[in-house]
Amino acid sequence: REKKSGGGLSGALAQLQSRLTAAQQEIAKQKKAYGAVDKLLKGREACEGNEERLQKAQKDLVRLEKICASGGKKLGDKEAMDIISTTDAAQKVLKAAAADAAKQVAAAPAEVKERLGKIEANAKGLLKRVEDLLAKTKDERERVQYEMYAKQAEEFADAVEAAHAKAESAELPFLSGMEEMPPGEGGPIVEACVAAGKEADGAIVEARAFAKARAEDLKTSKAAGAAALQEALDKMKVRVDAVFKKIAQFKADTEKRRRTVRLQDARLALDAAEELITNMAEQVKPLEAKKAEEGEPENGEEGKLSQQDAEKICEQVGEADAAAQAKLEEAQAVGNELPPGDKEHKEELAQLSARFRELTARLGESRKTAKEYEERFVAEQVVAQAREVLEKAKEQVKELSEACAPLVERGGEEFLVAVSARTLADALRQYMKEIEVDEAGLFAKVGAAGGSVTEEAFVKWLAGLEAELKRDDVTFEPKRQQELFRYLASNAEAGLDKEDFGKLFRRQYTCCSKVTVTDGFGVAKSKTLTKVDVGAEVEALGEPTADEDTGMIRVEVKILSGKDSGMTGWCSLKGNQGTTYFQEHTAINKFSQDLDAKIQAAEKAAVELQKQVRARIGEVPSVAQGPLRVAKTELAKIASQVSQENTKIMQCKSKVASAKKLFAQKEEAEKRAHLERKERLAAEEALTEARAKLQAVEASCKALNEAALPLKGLKEDALAAFATPLAVLQACETHKTAIHAGTKELRAAVKARQPELASAAKGPMFDAKKELTTMLAKADKADRGATAEFQDVRTACNRIAQPKSDAACTALREDAQKRGVAPEDLFAELAKDSHRVSPDAFCAHLTKLEGLDLSSEHAGLLCHYIQAGGIGKRKFFSLFQRYFQIVKDIAITDEFEMKSCKTIRKAELGEVIELTQPPQTDEITGLVRLKGKAFKDGVEGWITLSGNKGTPFMKACDRPYYVTQRPLEMQTAFEADGAEAVRQVKAGELFELLEGPRKFERKPVLRARCKANKDGALGFITVKDGAGAAFAELSGLHVCIGTVAMTDDLDIKKGKIVRKLALNEVFEVVEGPTEAGDSGMVRVKGRAVKDGKEGWITPKGNAGSVFTKESLKHYKIIKATTLDKLEAESEAVRELEEGEIVEITVGPKEHKAQPVHRVKVRAMGDAKEGWLSLLGGAAKACAPYYKAMAEVSLRDGKDDAEAAPGLRAIKLGEILELVEGPVDGAGGDLSVRVRAEQDGTCGWTPVKIGTGPPCLQTLTASDS
């Protein structure tokens, strides 16, 4: 739920989870309580049951003990038997009670644990008493038992002899001399003999088991009566053994008699089977005669024998066949019962077997003759039935296809006309209500002449409805106007009469929820007439009206179907709780309902037909050949055809479903037709403006391509001699700007249309949205192409300007040296009072230089190449001071010639070189080399600019600049340790690189981990640097080692408590120590570091207790420094100001300082020079350009922002060129004078305001 809601249910789910957790905890608590109660109840129940049984056992034991204690009198037989039975039962009860108590006592509640222990102990005690009693009465008990066993031995012998007598009685019929009983009589007698034999066996087994058990007892007994028992057992054995031998012979005789009886049954079964088979042979003779005369039956012809007679014969043969087969199986069962090695009946069994085979063969012959005809009849009948099923399936599909045709084939056009008619009716009802006319009055306005309206008049009236009704939803196409006329008119040739016109306003409803019909409009005051059942149809006799009292929509209706057909009354169309009672009857709804019912019936019937075909197939057995095999194949084909017809029904259903969806879309389109017309007009309006803008962009693209064409494909010589590169460049730039502006305007136009287009998912507005998207894509592509095209033109112009730039720079430097004019003075001379040299002034000066052959066009191109729109001071100075950056490993040598030069050192990647002599080409090697001075260490020498294959080793770059990221100290010397400070540098100041970066190896420093008291910030500080300069020292602060009071007076008695100083709280001593009056205690006046409160404190009590001591962990910052995040100097947490207090947590300890890169720089604001450290990103390389990070004002002055007049607002992301500064402005914030690249406006703006985020951010050299 949480995932589906996108996080919107967090609160509710948390509450629900809390409730669930609480409920689970409560359930666990209740379960625990119930478990305890359950254990208690079960324990109590066990105690009560066992205690009751123990009491009974104890009573019985006491009674027996009394019997045994009767003055040495011997026990009688009755008393001995009582002891035997009672002690046996008591032992079982006592053992069970002891075991049950021992099992439950461990987990039982405390309340029943003691009772269970007592029960276990009591049971064990009673068991001991039972054992004692049994030992005491052993001899008497055994005597009585043995006497009883002797009597039982005689009883067992009697039972065995009785069973034998019963067996002899059962075999008497066989002893009368009849060796073979009459049919049917021998079986029951044999069964009675078998049962008697089993009974005798059982009696013998029981007697012998008794004798064995008693023999085991006698082995260990010496009691009186043992000899008598042994004698009784011996007599019983003799009697049982004698019966055993007789019964064995009886069982053997019975088995022989059983075989004789079963053979008799087999002969009788074969006799019956032979009679049946003989009758079958007579019954199939007519079929055999026909076969002999005409051969195999073909095409349903059976000769003289009719089909009815043949069927009757087959039926009779089938009955006889079944009966004969049953008798044969009965005879065969007898043969299977008798053992294979029965020699006595071997010959008779062989005769029966031969006779069985003969009869089976005869049965097969008769069966074969009838089977051929039976299979033929069955096959023809089943195939005929299956073909009838197939015809029904085809007819069903045909009827369903015809029913679906109006929707599937004709697309529901007739129903769409009905939709238009409903729309027209709704509009006309509203119109009639407004002008207060009825149907008759409106029909007269249609133009009825002679009681009817012609098609021409009706169409003319419809065409004017939009203007008359002031509704656009009654505007229909001419074809639909004609269709509406034909839809309403019952006879189009006779015209549209009043009754036909009235059909337009007739509303019929179908009941979808049972509702009451009343005799009045108001529900409260009206009486119920009847109830309308679901599915009943009604016709509205008026307009639906809302009942103000109940909020229900009610209408007077006439019932059209059901038992109350013709009745009128009032019904609720919709309840006040939203229940819908009636659905308006439409042509498509009625058609869909009827069609769905037909499809459902067809599906049900198709399933039934399929079942019938499968049933026919199931009736035909699987055979390898013959009529049934042919029928089986034919039935499979028919089943496939029926399945195909059923598939057509499913396809028809699918087509109907698709057609319904399509019709719903058409219906919606029909209702929205007027809206779509409006959308088309609005869409066309939206596209017209965008198309015009796109055409303008495409026209500018074409003009750009034509303007750039002269420069395309020119080789180096032709390119250098090209006469008008600046004109081409400016023309292309104009076209590119126009394309960019046109694309921007197109995007704005499309954006302006977004509110009305955004929600469009289909229709004209959606098409317009897609076309506008395509237009935007085309415009964006044109814009990108224009940018690429213009870049190609600019690259070509740069190739023209590059060599001329070198010559111009050389001429400028030589002219300035010759005239003795510094670059600053020359800039002032050419710029006059401006901050830039105008293109005209620069071109005019270039044309005057000696030795420089430049046309005015090429001079203008050169000015544009250096800086478009005029040359600023830094770009102007770069003409005199050129810089290159190493891009590939190369050596710095002492001479120009490669053969004689020596390597001074290897130039590092990224290193910047200042040009001191212009590039020259070595004619021997083809290398282009220049002389330069390395910023890193001031080394000057010759370096290869490009190889003889064109490989670049250096690239031109601007002079390096640095911007500080945090406050720093500018120092006088390269050696950082002990160097004097030039001044403190603010974050955001800009510097011009003079030398470096160079690595400086520092001496070990004293570092410590600490916590600032001011804000709790954690980090590392340098306590003392490698030169011994201290940044922090012991503060002289005191720390409380116990709770002590601060009072407002030296004298403790007179003073009042200012507040209590807590353990480890720190304070600064501002006065004292001073003796406090007569108390003899020495006190100091201290200021709490925590809140600055002052008062008198007692460091040591008069009894010697020490409350405070000087802290060796608290240091005071004596020189502003950085609180670093890591022990090795790294990213700063913040700057620590002079006078701050820090608490040392680790250290101070000596730390090997990491090397630091140092740069010599000149401040852009005040021209101060000195060295800066780049450690931990304190300063980073940049260019003298800014990007606006916030919207600020560009003002004429740098001081008070409100006093200085505003020039204009700087937009977010705007690029600004540094002209002057950074310098301190209003409130101590850094301000810079900048020139906006967008329009050349020059003015002052702050770099940062207060503690807020930067307003401006410097660009990197690559970004600028």
Side-chain angles (χ1 to χ4, degrees):
R1 292 295 183 187
E2 174 67 9
K3 287 179 181 177
K4 290 180 180 178
S5 68
L9 295 176
S10 298
L13 287 173
Q15 291 179 1
L16 176 59
Q17 186 60 48
S18 177
R19 291 176 63 192
L20 286 173
T21 303
Q24 287 173 334
Q25 291 173 349
E26 182 63 24
I27 289 170
K29 181 179 175 183
Q30 296 293 343
K31 280 185 176 180
K32 186 176 180 181
Y34 164 76
V37 172
D38 187 50
K39 286 181 180 179
L40 179 62
L41 293 175
K42 286 183 178 178
R44 285 179 178 175
E45 184 179 351
C47 288
E48 290 170 359
N50 285 325
E51 285 170 349
E52 184 179 346
R53 286 187 286 273
L54 287 179
Q55 286 175 2
K56 183 179 182 303
Q58 187 173 11
K59 287 181 181 178
D60 290 340
L61 186 57
V62 169
R63 180 175 60 80
L64 294 179
E65 287 174 340
K66 287 181 178 178
I67 293 173
C68 294
S70 58
K73 183 180 177 181
K74 286 189 177 182
L75 295 175
D77 293 351
K78 185 176 181 181
E79 287 84 356
M81 290 303 298
D82 187 15
I83 291 173
I84 292 169
S85 60
T86 304
T87 53
D88 185 53
Q91 280 183 318
K92 292 179 181 178
V93 169
L94 295 173
K95 287 178 181 179
D100 187 40
K103 181 180 178 181
Q104 294 194 42
V105 72
E111 184 179 336
V112 297
K113 186 172 286 190
E114 185 178 356
R115 288 178 67 185
L116 289 170
K118 289 181 179 179
I119 289 171
E120 184 180 5
N122 193 12
K124 289 180 178 179
L126 290 174
L127 277 171
K128 180 66 170 59
R129 288 171 63 185
V130 169
E131 291 170 359
D132 293 343
L133 179 64
L134 290 174
K136 186 177 179 181
T137 61
K138 181 179 179 183
D139 293 338
E140 288 80 357
R141 285 188 296 103
E142 287 183 350
R143 177 183 59 78
V144 172
Q145 274 186 321
Y146 287 168
E147 290 175 356
M148 180 185 68
Y149 288 157
K151 291 179 181 180
Q152 288 178 350
E154 188 176 356
E155 291 173 359
F156 273 111
D158 292 343
V160 169
E161 290 174 348
H164 175 246
K166 188 175 180 180
E168 287 179 336
S169 175
E171 70 173 346
L172 282 177
F174 289 110
L175 300 177
S176 62
M178 293 183 65
E179 295 180 0
E180 186 172 305
M181 294 290 178
E185 293 183 9
I189 299 172
V190 169
E191 288 177 3
C193 290
V194 171
K198 288 181 179 179
E199 184 178 346
D201 284 341
I204 292 169
V205 168
E206 288 180 2
R208 286 177 171 176
F210 172 78
K212 184 178 180 180
R214 301 293 74 79
E216 289 295 324
D217 294 338
L218 291 173
K219 285 180 181 180
T220 57
S221 177
K222 296 180 180 179
L229 175 60
Q230 184 63 54
E231 184 181 354
L233 290 174
D234 291 342
K235 290 180 179 180
M236 183 193 78
K237 183 176 182 301
V238 171
R239 293 171 65 187
V240 170
D241 288 346
V243 172
F244 177 75
K245 291 178 182 179
K246 294 176 182 179
I247 289 298
Q249 182 61 44
F250 170 78
K251 287 164 65 177
D253 294 341
T254 299
E255 177 60 22
K256 290 180 181 179
R257 293 162 184 156
R258 187 186 70 78
R259 293 178 186 177
T260 302
V261 169
R262 292 298 290 149
L263 286 171
Q264 183 184 27
D265 292 341
R267 288 196 299 272
L268 294 173
L270 288 176
D271 291 342
E274 184 174 9
E275 183 179 357
L276 289 168
I277 291 169
T278 303
N279 292 335
M280 280 179 62
E282 291 297 324
Q283 289 172 343
V284 299
K285 279 183 180 179
L287 297 177
E288 289 176 345
K290 176 186 176 302
K291 180 178 179 181
E293 293 173 3
E294 302 180 6
E296 294 292 334
E298 294 181 0
N299 301 324
E301 298 179 0
E302 284 81 27
K304 297 178 181 179
L305 188 65
S306 68
Q307 180 175 342
Q308 186 176 1
D309 292 339
E311 288 178 358
K312 187 175 180 181
I313 292 172
C314 288
E315 184 179 350
Q316 293 172 350
V317 169
E319 293 174 357
D321 182 11
Q325 184 65 38
K327 291 299 181 179
L328 288 173
E329 289 174 358
E330 183 181 341
Q332 187 178 26
V334 172
N336 293 335
E337 286 179 14
L338 299 179
D342 188 355
K343 296 180 181 180
E344 184 178 352
H345 303 95
K346 182 178 179 181
E347 184 178 349
E348 190 172 1
L349 281 172
Q351 293 174 356
L352 289 174
S353 178
R355 192 177 175 196
F356 174 81
R357 289 194 296 273
E358 177 193 353
L359 293 175
T360 301
R362 288 173 59 190
L363 177 62
E365 290 295 326
S366 299
R367 184 185 292 163
K368 182 179 178 182
T369 304
K371 184 179 179 183
E372 293 175 356
Y373 287 91
E374 184 179 359
E375 287 181 353
R376 178 63 178 249
F377 298 149
V378 169
E380 290 180 351
Q381 184 179 8
V382 170
V383 170
Q385 292 172 350
R387 287 200 177 108
E388 290 178 6
V389 171
L390 177 60
E391 290 303 318
K392 289 180 181 178
K394 288 181 178 179
E395 185 65 26
Q396 181 175 269
V397 171
K398 181 180 177 182
E399 292 175 0
L400 187 60
S401 298
E402 291 173 354
C404 297
L407 187 62
V408 174
E409 296 177 10
R410 296 193 288 277
E413 282 299 321
E414 57 195 86
F415 306 121
L416 290 175
V417 177
V419 172
S420 298
R422 287 182 63 195
T423 303
L424 177 62
D426 291 340
L428 290 176
R429 287 191 190 96
Q430 183 67 27
Y431 178 61
M432 288 189 293
K433 189 175 181 180
E434 291 174 358
I435 64 174
E436 298 180 350
V437 298
D438 55 10
E439 293 178 16
L442 182 63
F443 183 64
K445 289 174 68 67
V446 174
S452 63
V453 179
T454 63
E455 181 176 344
E456 182 180 358
F458 183 77
V459 168
K460 183 179 179 181
W461 174 70
L462 281 180
L465 271 183
E466 180 178 0
E468 186 175 352
L469 273 62
K470 297 179 181 178
R471 293 176 59 153
D472 53 9
D473 58 342
V474 293
T475 302
F476 304 105
E477 299 294 334
K479 181 182 176 183
R480 181 50 51 87
Q481 293 173 351
Q482 295 171 355
E483 289 171 341
L484 281 170
F485 176 80
R486 298 189 187 102
Y487 174 77
L488 294 173
S490 55
N491 187 347
E493 293 181 1
L496 182 72
D497 58 23
K498 185 177 179 181
E499 185 177 350
D500 292 336
F501 189 70
K503 292 178 185 177
L504 182 64
F505 303 100
R506 188 175 299 166
R507 283 180 174 170
Q508 291 185 354
Y509 297 90
T510 302
C511 181
C512 54
S513 183
K514 197 168 185 178
V515 67
T516 301
V517 179
T518 64
D519 61 354
F521 175 76
V523 177
K525 299 179 180 179
S526 57
K527 295 180 180 178
T528 299
L529 298 177
T530 187
K531 287 188 177 181
V532 179
D533 294 325
V534 175
E537 295 182 356
V538 300
E539 180 182 343
L541 301 179
E543 290 297 311
T545 307
D547 187 346
E548 295 181 359
D549 295 334
T550 61
M552 294 188 290
I553 308 298
R554 292 178 61 77
V555 66
E556 188 177 9
V557 299
K558 178 182 179 181
I559 301 174
L560 301 178
S561 62
K563 58 184 178 61
D564 297 316
S565 179
M567 181 184 288
T568 61
W570 290 85
C571 281
S572 297
L573 296 181
K574 194 171 185 180
N576 53 12
Q577 298 298 319
T579 304
T580 300
Y581 296 104
F582 288 94
Q583 183 179 13
E584 188 170 357
H585 177 85
T586 62
I588 184 63
N589 287 346
K590 179 64 175 174
F591 176 81
S592 295
Q593 290 172 3
D594 294 343
L595 185 58
D596 289 344
K598 290 178 181 178
I599 292 174
Q600 188 174 4
E603 286 180 319
K604 188 175 179 181
V607 172
E608 184 60 33
L609 292 176
Q610 192 80 24
K611 286 182 180 178
Q612 291 178 16
V613 173
R614 288 174 182 167
R616 300 292 82 77
I617 294 174
E619 291 173 1
V620 179
S622 297
V623 293
Q625 58 185 2
L628 291 180
R629 176 65 180 177
V630 175
K632 196 89 168 179
T633 304
E634 184 65 21
L635 286 174
K637 293 178 182 178
I638 294 172
S640 176
Q641 292 174 331
V642 171
S643 179
Q644 290 174 7
E645 296 302 316
N646 292 351
T647 302
K648 290 178 183 178
I649 293 174
M650 299 306 296
Q651 291 172 347
C652 192
K653 181 179 180 180
S654 178
K655 288 179 182 179
V656 168
S658 300
K660 284 182 179 180
K661 290 181 181 178
L662 184 60
F663 179 80
Q665 296 172 2
K666 289 181 179 179
E667 185 178 21
E668 185 63 26
E670 187 75 19
K671 294 176 181 177
R672 287 179 46 84
H674 63 289
L675 298 175
E676 197 164 317
R677 283 191 292 272
K678 290 175 67 176
E679 283 185 9
R680 275 198 296 269
L681 294 174
E684 191 60 34
E685 181 184 350
L687 291 172
T688 301
E689 180 186 2
R691 285 171 182 156
K693 295 187 182 299
L694 180 61
Q695 288 172 359
V697 169
E698 290 173 340
S700 296
C701 281
K702 184 178 179 182
L704 172 61
N705 293 332
E706 291 174 353
L709 190 61
L711 271 177
K712 285 187 175 180
L714 295 180
K715 303 296 182 183
E716 293 299 327
D717 294 341
L719 187 64
F722 189 73
T724 58
L726 181 60
V728 171
L729 181 64
Q730 288 174 338
C732 289
E733 188 170 14
T734 300
H735 294 314
K736 182 186 83 72
T737 303
I739 292 167
H740 185 69
T743 302
K744 191 175 180 181
E745 289 175 6
L746 176 60
R747 192 173 294 282
V750 173
K751 186 176 180 181
R753 295 286 181 178
Q754 281 300 315
E756 55 185 311
L757 294 172
S759 59
K762 57 184 178 179
M765 296 301 279
F766 179 69
D767 296 337
K769 182 166 69 172
K770 290 197 295 185
E771 187 171 347
L772 287 174
T773 303
T774 304
M775 289 183 188
L776 274 180
K778 287 182 178 180
D780 287 339
K781 184 178 179 181
D783 193 20
R784 292 192 299 272
T787 301
E789 185 75 14
F790 177 72
Q791 185 61 38
D792 292 343
V793 172
R794 184 161 62 182
T795 301
C797 290
N798 289 346
R799 286 164 58 196
I800 298 171
Q802 176 65 48
K804 299 183 186 301
S805 173
D806 296 338
C809 290
T810 302
L812 277 171
R813 286 194 295 271
E814 290 176 352
D815 180 67
Q817 292 172 0
K818 184 177 180 181
R819 291 169 55 198
V821 178
E824 291 84 354
D825 297 333
L826 182 58
F827 179 81
E829 176 187 331
L830 296 177
K832 302 190 183 306
D833 296 331
S834 176
H835 56 277
R836 301 176 82 79
V837 177
S838 67
D840 291 342
F842 187 72
C843 291
H845 182 70
L846 286 180
T847 55
K848 295 176 184 178
L849 297 177
E850 294 181 7
L852 186 63
D853 184 16
L854 276 179
S855 66
S856 58
E857 177 78 10
H858 283 187
L861 177 64
L862 182 58
C863 181
H864 190 281
Y865 170 73
I866 295 169
Q867 193 167 18
I871 303 173
K873 184 184 290 186
R874 282 176 190 78
K875 281 292 183 184
F876 187 81
F877 290 164
S878 69
L879 301 178
F880 296 88
Q881 296 172 319
R882 297 179 63 191
Y883 305 95
F884 292 86
Q885 188 177 31
I886 304 297
V887 296
K888 196 174 180 67
D889 291 341
I890 193 67
I892 303 176
T893 64
D894 58 350
E895 294 181 4
F896 174 76
E897 290 79 8
M898 294 297 294
K899 290 184 178 180
S900 58
C901 70
K902 294 181 181 179
T903 300
I904 299 174
R905 71 172 175 84
K906 180 182 175 182
E908 297 177 1
L909 286 176
E911 193 174 339
V912 179
I913 307 296
E914 181 181 0
L915 182 70
T916 56
Q917 287 190 29
Q920 302 175 32
T921 303
D922 188 337
E923 295 180 358
I924 298 174
T925 60
L927 300 176
V928 179
R929 289 167 61 77
L930 57 80
K931 190 173 185 180
K933 180 181 179 183
F935 270 93
K936 178 179 178 180
D937 52 10
V939 169
E940 188 173 6
W942 289 89
I943 311 171
T944 300
L945 178 63
S946 61
N948 54 8
K949 298 294 184 181
T951 303
F953 292 93
M954 292 190 290
K955 67 176 182 179
C957 66
D958 292 328
R959 186 183 186 100
Y961 292 84
Y962 281 88
V963 60
T964 53
Q965 301 299 300
R966 62 172 185 249
L968 293 173
E969 183 179 79
M970 181 189 284
Q971 297 176 315
T972 57
F974 169 70
E975 293 77 13
D977 295 337
E980 294 182 3
V982 176
R983 71 173 176 86
Q984 293 297 315
V985 175
K986 293 183 176 181
E989 284 198 58
L990 214 63
F991 297 88
E992 184 180 24
L993 180 65
L994 300 178
E995 185 180 338
R998 288 167 56 190
K999 185 189 289 187
F1000 173 68
E1001 297 288 345
R1002 297 188 295 164
K1003 297 177 182 178
V1005 298
L1006 202 62
R1007 298 273 285 173
R1009 192 174 191 274
C1010 64
K1011 179 173 75 173
N1013 272 29
K1014 181 178 180 181
D1015 55 6
L1018 298 173
F1020 293 84
I1021 63 168
T1022 299
V1023 178
K1024 190 179 290 185
D1025 67 12
F1031 292 88
E1033 64 181 9
L1034 279 170
S1035 59
L1037 298 176
H1038 286 62
V1039 61
C1040 296
I1041 59 176
T1043 305
V1044 65
M1046 175 190 286
T1047 63
D1048 60 356
D1049 195 280
L1050 175 62
D1051 192 334
I1052 294 177
K1053 295 179 180 179
K1054 296 180 181 179
K1056 295 180 180 179
I1057 296 176
V1058 177
R1059 73 174 180 87
K1060 287 183 179 180
L1061 297 180
L1063 180 66
N1064 295 326
E1065 190 168 349
V1066 181
F1067 64 90
E1068 180 183 3
V1069 176
V1070 296
E1071 186 181 335
T1074 305
E1075 189 172 335
D1078 299 334
S1079 65
M1081 290 189 297
V1082 176
R1083 308 192 75 198
V1084 296
K1085 189 173 186 180
R1087 180 187 301 116
V1089 173
K1090 180 179 179 181
D1091 54 12
K1093 290 188 176 181
E1094 292 187 5
W1096 290 91
I1097 305 165
T1098 304
K1100 187 175 183 181
N1102 55 8
S1105 299
V1106 178
F1107 298 106
T1108 70
K1109 68 176 182 178
E1110 186 175 355
S1111 175
L1112 299 179
K1113 291 186 176 181
H1114 290 81
Y1115 280 64
K1116 180 185 287 186
I1117 302 299
I1118 58 175
K1119 186 178 181 181
T1121 187
T1122 304
L1123 181 65
D1124 298 317
K1125 185 175 287 187
L1126 303 176
E1127 184 174 8
E1129 293 168 296
S1130 59
E1131 181 184 348
V1133 177
R1134 70 173 179 87
E1135 294 298 317
L1136 295 175
E1137 301 172 359
E1138 187 176 338
E1140 273 198 69
I1141 301 297
V1142 296
E1143 181 183 356
I1144 303 297
T1145 57
V1146 179
K1149 61 183 179 180
E1150 190 176 278
H1151 177 77
K1152 184 180 179 180
Q1154 63 187 90
V1156 61
H1157 284 84
R1158 306 263 288 168
V1159 289
K1160 188 176 182 181
V1161 294
R1162 180 189 298 121
M1164 301 295 290
D1166 58 6
K1168 294 281 187 180
E1169 294 184 9
W1171 289 86
L1172 297 176
S1173 294
L1174 304 182
L1175 183 66
K1180 67 176 184 179
C1182 68
Y1185 289 88
Y1186 289 95
K1187 181 179 180 180
M1189 306 303 292
E1191 293 187 357
V1192 291
S1193 295
L1194 195 62
R1195 297 187 175 274
D1196 201 27
K1198 70 176 183 298
D1199 297 324
D1200 187 10
E1202 295 183 1
L1207 299 172
R1208 73 170 178 85
I1210 297 175
K1211 296 178 182 178
L1212 186 67
E1214 200 171 337
I1215 304 302
L1216 309 167
E1217 181 188 3
L1218 178 67
V1219 175
E1220 186 179 342
V1223 296
D1224 287 339
D1229 295 325
L1230 290 177
S1231 293
V1232 289
R1233 190 176 184 219
V1234 293
R1235 175 184 176 274
E1237 289 282 305
Q1238 181 177 328
D1239 56 8
T1241 304
C1242 190
W1244 289 88
T1245 189
V1247 176
K1248 184 178 179 182
I1249 300 175
T1251 58
C1255 303
L1256 305 179
Q1257 179 179 299
T1258 54
L1259 298 180
T1260 62
S1262 59
D1263 290 339
S1264 66

